[in-house]
Amino acid sequence: MARSGVWPQTWRVPLKHWTAIAAAGFLAAAAYLPANAADISGAGATFPYPIYAKWADAYKKETGNGLNYQSIGSGGGIKQITARTVTFGASDMPLEPAELDKIGVIQFPTVMGGIVPVVNLDGIKSGDLTIDGPTLAKIFLGDIKKWNDPALAKLNPAAKLPDQAIALVHRSDGSGTTFVFTNYLSKVSGEWKSKVGSSTAVQWPAGIGAKGNEGVANNVANTKGAIGYVETAYAKQNKLTTTKMINKDGKTVTADSESIMAAAAGADWAKAPGFYQILTDEPGAKSWPIAGATFILIPKEPKDAAAASEALKFFAWAYKNGDKMAEELDYVPMPDSVVTLIQSKWKSDVKAAM
Amino acid sequence: MVDVAFQSGSAVSVAEQVDRAKVLQKLRLGDAAFRHLTRAAAVTVLVILSGIIFSLVYGAWPALQKFGFNFLIEESWNPVTEHFGAIAPIYGTIVTSLIAMLIAVPVGLFIALFLTELCPLWLRRPVGIAIELLAGIPSIIYGIWGLFVFAPFLQQHVQPFLIAAFGNVPVLSTLFEGPPYGIGILTAGLILAIMVLPFITSISRDVFEAVPPVLKEAAYGLGCTTWEVARYVVLPFTRVGVIGGVMLALGRALGETMAVTFVIGNAHRISGSILAPGTTISATIANEFTEAVGDLYTSSLIALGLILFVITFIVLAFARLMLMRLNARLGT
């Protein structure tokens, strides 16, 4: 009885808090929704995330339109665009034309990157070692087990190759890098094609798996006699020991933006339906043999035509103004001839295009 | 609060007497609301758990339908041909956890016994705090440390020694075979042992401290050694708590993802050697889920998750059963 004056008040106080919190939540949601509706949303590949973020930032400053890109992985990007929950999807691995038709989207490349073998051998510096495609395939199949193997010695008469076991390091996570690398090995080696094949993740015949470019780089750095593969941008930024490659024309090339651009120029984009083009083993004296583009997927008949049109405007802006930003981040921009092809494809295939 | 209550009590009026029924009613309502709230919270757990089981089974169904029982016994994990089998990750999960428990259980119990029975008072707090800090380190830190510091150390100093020492011993030579990569099943097991150690230690220490001093003093009075007191008084008295701690640790070891991914080598192969690279269920899922393209691939990864769920469930059920039988036998 004596407490009666006190109790009800003490439990009424938290109730007041709850209403306050709920009200604040509604206000926040209300403030958030309109802003979200004006933005373009995209989801997918992790590899191009830094450049998409940079472009989006610059684009927002210029036009006031925002882009919300979630790097959830290529698989997730394809699922999201199939379900049409985002304006565009992004994938490091291009979809086959038949699959594009099935989910009713078109695909186009935005930026390119190269992949380069990295090694850890005493006394061997970047560019000291040259490997050709079939030999690289034999190494990753586990057929060539030692660094002083005759096949390697023949390619590198000047280098002093040790009698040391080759430790293989590959990506453990599914990745576009692995897709491009295994695609190249499949093109240059029939045995690789039949035994392993090409995908974002494969059943590796030998070696250890490491997560991400940084995982591969660190495992190679920690293991004497190791060989792995990373993106050229990553190798450059971290000053890894890279090798040269012999390309389709039989010329020895170094991985840089020039040789990757040469590979893109050598490819016949006009004859590739759905821009299904993987830049591996491309002809051309200067072409780097292991390169690939990253792709955008956008519906032919978008649910929200205005948003799709905004997204295409964004990419048109990026092709026009984004090359320098891409190069700063060590991506390779698409050649102008390809961009023209892409934009005519937008006009013919996407409803509500600009 | 009490003062206020007394003041209002001393000035009882007729109006307040009438209010009393109302106030009581309100209190009763509040109590009922509280009861429903707690029950709702408890039911939520059941709903969430069954939701997880349902979505795992639903997601795993295409893979289970395609591969059937073979999913559990095949080693092939080939995203290109879409042929998946789970035995390599299952093997890796169990072996790494086994290595971790083999090391962490005795060491953890010894630390706890030392802290409660033998440790000088001034050392008790620093060691106790260190153990608790060990539990607070995020697993990614263990992973990075394992990759950059621990694995190179093992590769250069420990593994060559193991290979050389056991090279001619029949069974052990297979167990410690192959080139010293530094990372692999053994490294993952050792990292896991360090990670689960604090769970075993801190729980055991807490339950050891709960042993009534009179029991121990009686045992000492009878002339028991410290070992005998620990073995015949402390451990039997605290076995439920200790087994609980061990099971909690095992649960963490089975499910640990990040640290293992860094140091296990992520190879879908079963090798006789514990120095060879392998993979675990959670590491496989973490590695491959984001870029898994194709329904069957994704479904197989979810099926792996379901298997891990079942393994954990079996472990917990087994622990319960063991405890029940132990209690029944001892009549407590």
Side-chain angles (χ1 to χ4, degrees):
Chain A
M1 182 186 85
R3 282 173 176 177
S4 59
V6 181
W7 266 100
Q9 267 168 7
T10 50
W11 65 267
R12 219 177 272 150
V13 175
L15 262 185
K16 264 186 205 156
H17 274 293
W18 282 343
T19 32
I21 290 164
F26 277 122
L27 277 178
Y32 180 70
L33 276 173
N36 197 29
D39 283 4
I40 318 157
S41 63
T46 45
F47 160 69
Y49 172 68
I51 183 61
Y52 291 170
K54 197 168 183 183
W55 281 346
D57 196 38
Y59 187 67
K60 178 138 192 159
K61 272 185 197 135
E62 233 178 275
T63 64
N65 292 330
L67 171 90
N68 173 18
Y69 182 74
Q70 297 168 342
S71 57
I72 56 172
S74 297
I78 294 167
K79 275 184 207 110
Q80 299 263 348
I81 195 63
T82 308
R84 303 286 195 269
T85 50
V86 286
T87 319
F88 67 87
S91 173
D92 281 340
M93 181 164 104
L95 296 183
E96 307 262 3
E99 202 159 345
L100 290 174
D101 289 340
K102 206 177 97 191
I103 58 177
V105 299
I106 65 156
Q107 104 188 328
F108 54 89
T110 49
V111 288
M112 298 176 289
I115 286 136
V116 62
V118 289
V119 297
N120 176 358
L121 283 169
D122 283 333
I124 300 278
K125 293 190 297 294
S126 267
D128 283 0
L129 216 59
T130 305
I131 307 178
D132 65 3
T135 311
L136 192 62
K138 280 205 186 102
I139 291 174
F140 274 88
L141 278 167
D143 291 346
I144 294 180
K145 289 184 163 58
K146 294 234 166 166
W147 280 107
N148 61 354
D149 190 275
L152 279 164
K154 203 175 139 203
L155 287 164
N156 301 282
K160 223 178 144 230
L161 292 164
D163 178 23
Q164 194 170 25
I166 300 178
L168 298 169
V169 185
H170 56 75
R171 287 283 288 268
S172 63
D173 46 337
S175 93
T177 311
T178 297
F179 169 69
V180 173
F181 187 71
T182 52
N183 178 276
Y184 172 66
L185 295 182
S186 297
K187 275 186 189 170
V188 294
S189 158
E191 199 187 347
W192 183 275
K193 194 174 180 180
S194 62
K195 270 194 187 164
V196 186
S198 162
S199 186
T200 50
V202 297
Q203 185 161 14
W204 295 93
I208 54 175
K211 192 163 165 57
N213 280 306
E214 61 284 2
V216 172
N218 285 318
N219 274 303
V220 170
N222 283 339
T223 316
K224 285 264 173 280
I227 185 169
Y229 60 93
V230 296
E231 278 154 25
T232 48
Y234 191 85
K236 190 182 148 196
Q237 285 152 10
N238 294 280
K239 302 190 173 57
L240 305 175
T241 308
T242 58
T243 71
K244 290 179 176 173
M245 291 287 301
I246 293 176
N247 67 12
K248 195 170 190 175
D249 287 15
K251 300 280 193 299
T252 306
V253 283
T254 311
D256 51 29
S257 61
E258 199 188 338
S259 61
I260 294 165
M261 194 89 109
D268 191 357
W269 294 91
K271 287 207 185 102
F275 294 102
Y276 188 89
Q277 191 68 270
I278 301 133
L279 304 172
T280 51
D281 207 26
E282 290 294 340
K286 282 185 184 163
S287 297
W288 177 251
I290 324 172
T294 184
F295 294 83
I296 293 293
L297 304 166
I298 204 158
K300 283 181 188 165
E301 292 176 15
K303 259 195 331 204
D304 184 351
S309 157
E310 279 301 319
L312 291 180
K313 266 187 209 150
F314 167 77
F315 286 112
W317 175 90
Y319 285 134
K320 206 172 147 208
N321 307 301
D323 287 4
K324 201 157 168 287
M325 280 179 260
E327 275 163 3
E328 274 165 21
L329 291 176
D330 291 305
Y331 293 94
V332 181
M334 299 305 296
D336 290 343
S337 57
V338 183
V339 172
T340 317
L341 278 174
I342 294 168
Q343 292 187 326
S344 65
K345 180 87 176 166
W346 290 352
K347 288 211 178 72
S348 63
D349 281 27
V350 181
K351 280 192 182 166
M354 299 165 291
Chain B
M1 199 166 108
V2 178
D3 286 349
V4 176
F6 269 110
Q7 272 165 17
S8 64
S10 61
V12 177
S13 69
V14 183
E16 271 185 39
Q17 286 283 348
V18 177
D19 272 354
R20 189 172 175 230
K22 252 189 193 170
V23 168
L24 275 179
Q25 175 73 14
K26 237 177 205 171
L27 285 178
R28 222 171 283 133
L29 265 179
D31 222 20
F34 181 67
R35 194 171 56 235
H36 287 302
L37 206 66
T38 51
R39 187 161 53 196
V43 170
T44 312
V45 175
L46 289 179
V47 171
I48 291 174
L49 188 68
S50 47
I52 290 173
I53 295 174
F54 173 78
S55 52
L56 275 178
V57 172
Y58 180 80
W61 193 247
L64 296 180
Q65 210 173 21
K66 175 91 196 278
F67 304 118
F69 183 69
N70 282 341
F71 188 71
L72 286 178
I73 50 168
E74 275 204 36
E75 195 184 337
S76 162
W77 185 268
N78 193 333
V80 180
T81 56
E82 296 214 306
H83 194 93
F84 299 103
I87 191 68
I90 293 174
Y91 169 84
T93 306
I94 291 172
V95 171
T96 50
S97 299
L98 208 66
I99 294 173
M101 299 320 279
L102 275 178
I103 297 164
V105 170
V107 175
L109 287 181
F110 284 163
I111 295 174
L113 280 173
F114 177 73
L115 282 179
T116 50
E117 306 298 321
L118 298 164
C119 184
L121 270 177
W122 59 270
L123 194 61
R124 223 173 254 197
R125 271 180 71 83
V127 175
I129 289 172
I131 291 289
E132 268 148 36
L133 278 179
L134 216 54
I137 298 174
S139 59
I140 186 98
I141 307 286
Y142 281 106
I144 290 171
W145 176 76
L147 181 62
F148 286 107
V149 183
F150 196 51
F153 171 76
L154 284 178
Q155 183 188 20
Q156 281 151 26
H157 303 292
V158 180
Q159 293 187 348
F161 166 76
L162 287 175
I163 293 168
F166 297 114
N168 296 321
V169 189
V171 179
L172 292 176
S173 67
T174 341
L175 210 55
F176 298 104
E177 198 187 0
Y181 274 120
I183 60 181
I185 299 263
L186 177 66
T187 315
L190 292 175
I191 291 273
L192 281 177
I194 300 171
M195 292 180 75
V196 300
L197 190 63
F199 287 79
I200 298 173
T201 304
S202 57
I203 290 178
S204 322
R205 188 193 55 186
D206 289 350
V207 294
F208 288 170
E209 270 171 359
V211 177
V214 64
L215 288 182
K216 284 189 275 183
E217 277 156 19
Y220 282 123
L222 287 173
C224 288
T225 60
T226 316
W227 162 249
E228 283 165 340
V229 171
R231 171 69 189 80
Y232 298 108
V233 178
V234 177
L235 275 179
F237 191 83
T238 56
R239 63 181 180 280
V240 175
V242 169
I243 290 176
V246 169
M247 286 303 149
L248 195 68
L250 182 56
R252 170 143 201 211
L254 286 170
E256 175 50 41
T257 311
M258 228 41 237
V260 171
T261 308
F262 271 87
V263 296
I264 197 164
N266 303 300
H268 280 278
R269 286 188 293 273
I270 294 181
S271 167
S273 165
I274 58 169
L275 301 185
T279 189
T280 68
I281 292 176
S282 50
T284 302
I285 297 174
N287 270 317
E288 300 181 20
F289 202 79
T290 42
E291 298 283 336
V293 181
D295 291 340
L296 204 57
Y297 193 0
T298 323
S299 173
S300 299
L301 286 170
I302 298 174
L304 276 186
L306 181 66
I307 291 171
L308 184 58
F309 191 93
V310 172
I311 292 177
T312 321
F313 181 80
I314 291 173
V315 165
L316 286 178
F318 184 71
R320 285 267 153 181
L321 200 75
M322 210 159 70
L323 276 178
M324 265 156 56
R325 293 184 71 171
L326 210 62
N327 284 342
R329 192 160 48 117
L330 290 164
T332 45

